[in-house]
Amino acid sequence: MNPTLEIFSQGEEIVTGQTVDTNAAWLSQQAVQMGFTVTRHTAVGDNLDDLTALLREIAERADCCICTGGLGPTSDDLTAEAVAQAFGLALAFDAVAFAQIKRFFDRRNRPMPESNRKQALLPAGSERIDNEWGTAPGFSLRHGRCWFAFIPGVPSEMRHLFLEKIRPALANRFAFQPRRLVTIRTVGIGESDIQQRMAAVTIPDLVQLGFRAGMDDVQTKLLFPYGYPETAMAALVSKVAEQIGDAVFGIDGLSEAEGDLVSVIDRLMAGKPATLAVIETASQGLLAAKCIGMPWLLGACFERSLNTLGQRFAVPVQHDDLMATAKALAIAVQKSGAADLALVQLYAGDDGIFHDKDQPIVLYNGLLTPDGFHQSTQTVAGPIKRKQNQAALLALDLLRRYLQHKEI
């Protein structure tokens, strides 16, 4: 049986909803990959008695606990004090921690406030976790059945300390039988459609099936137990992906992670190799923003008005045949620049329809390539930001399908 782990987040800003606890989600992913069974996420505000009570409970029921937050210099940072009170320990001044905190300010030519001295008070008997990225050292200790690690709540510091300090310590302390998570990533299809397409596939009882709908993709997750045969795993994943169809753009977990849609496109464009120029309307610059920094994106143009777009590229706009207009624009774009591919996204309707969450818009995506013009038409609805995001994704998905030689 795999060891159990709890994640404990401290801070009033978390329990009041002012801050979204992304730390807990990230830590859970890391812990599950290592082989832990994550049993609880708990958030507690800045209340010493509540913190103390929870620490005592966790010490008796979990094998491990990762705690984030509450290590700062202000009066509402109570983690070290709560640990000392919960486990009957004194707070001891750590001269090395103090020197590290002071050095942090010296390197920035700033005086160290007296309040930061508090961060060098650690529970007696705990092991200091050096923090090169901030002023708050972490610490670890064992109490009851549980090994605790306390680290800052600032996400960049938390991730750095976990990867560099906590994870190696966990690997030495615990024996794991890690499960294997395989994620099939899709775009342009919903969870219910995916489940319907998978109806013909029998998922073994030992394999846990789940779905996650995000902003940029829908993920079908298959969690395999430790020791599941590789050939059987690959066969099941292949069968599920085949049933879902061409909406699958990548699979993470079998070998190297393929990543999100843009990451997949990036590898395909580099392998071709090819360059791209873009015209976008409904996505309003988001398509180009999703591809920021990609060397193959040579240029992007956003216009809200089709008539203005037509004037800019000297192309007559056919409002009754937007796909023909998209093709004409793509030809003009390709002639005006050096890109190998031209991707054009247009939509039918006015600004009123675009802003109305109850009114769908029709997207016309065209891709001009050396071997011809490829096109797709989709209808998207919902709030304006959803329409914008879906417009960007569906245009990119047309490019992805061309590069993967999928049906368009």
Side-chain angles (χ1 to χ4, degrees), residues 32-74:
V32 169
Q33 288 175 9
M34 291 189 71
F36 279 106
T37 298
V38 178
T39 56
R40 283 181 176 86
H41 288 191
T42 309
V44 175
D46 303 326
N47 183 288
L48 187 61
D49 290 338
D50 290 344
L51 293 167
T52 300
L54 180 60
L55 287 166
R56 288 171 178 162
E57 291 174 17
I58 294 174
E60 299 305 317
R61 71 186 179 213
D63 298 312
C64 182
C65 179
I66 308 295
C67 306
T68 64
L71 298 179
T74 56

Side-chain angles (χ1 to χ4, degrees), residues 36 47 68 77 81 114 122 129 133 143 147 159 185-186 210 223 225 244 263 266 277 292 311-312 328 349 384 401:
F36 279 106
N47 183 288
T68 64
D77 291 305
E81 185 179 350
E114 181 60 28
L122 306 180
I129 301 174
W133 284 31
H143 190 84
W147 186 78
R159 295 188 182 201
R185 307 180 73 150
T186 55
L223 186 60
I244 297 173
S263 298
D266 181 40
I292 189 169
Q311 293 169 9
R312 179 171 180 170
I384 186 171
R401 287 171 181 262

